[in-house]
Amino acid sequence: QVQLVESGGGLVQAGGSLRLSCIASGSIRSIRTMGWYRQAPGKQRELVASSTTGGTTNHADSVKGRFTISRDNAKNTVYLQMTSLKPEDTAVYYCHADVVGAGNVVGLFEAWGQGTQVTVSS
């Protein structure tokens, strides 16, 4: 009853940029941390960046200075601006949110998007 929908992935050459967006909808009272994870073939899913409701952000060392997470709390939306992309950034990128449910959806739980493919060619 809570959906996260990502958009903005695609194919880009090394050095290029992409902007990912994720919109949360459904039985939401509030959202605490929102973030982006990625999973490359044969590798574990890893945190890329996260943002608290208050705006505190955290970026993985591998993307610091290149990726920037931002958030629009009023729209339940989180963005990931990716610049200076490298082939090793190729992965499926997943949106994640810690949601406080509303209505029949009670309590705090994790929600995940379906993922969006980012491919960086050399």
Side-chain angles (χ1 to χ4, degrees):
Q1 293 182 333
V2 173
Q3 299 82 35
L4 302 183
V5 178
E6 302 109 332
S7 61
L11 173 64
V12 65
Q13 289 187 333
S17 299
L18 285 174
R19 188 190 193 211
L20 305 184
S21 300
C22 172
I23 301 174
S25 63
S27 300
I28 299 171
R29 179 179 300 276
S30 64
I31 300 177
R32 297 184 180 179
T33 301
M34 294 188 82
W36 292 93
Y37 287 72
R38 68 185 181 186
Q39 188 167 20
K43 295 187 177 181
Q44 289 188 331
R45 191 173 296 190
E46 62 176 0
L47 175 67
V48 177
S50 64
S51 175
T52 66
T53 306
T56 299
T57 61
N58 176 50
H59 295 79
D61 288 343
S62 59
V63 307
K64 281 181 180 176
R66 300 188 299 121
F67 293 9
T68 302
I69 190 170
S70 61
R71 182 171 169 178
D72 186 333
N73 293 327
K75 296 181 179 180
N76 289 337
T77 300
V78 65
Y79 306 96
L80 186 68
Q81 180 67 50
M82 304 185 293
T83 63
S84 302
L85 282 159
K86 303 176 181 180
E88 50 264 44
D89 295 319
T90 295
V92 177
Y93 284 70
Y94 296 91
C95 179
H96 172 270
D98 292 320
V99 179
V100 179
N104 294 329
V105 183
V106 179
L108 176 66
F109 58 92
E110 293 185 286
W112 290 91
Q114 80 285 354
T116 185
Q117 177 71 46
V118 171
T119 302
V120 184
S121 63
S122 58

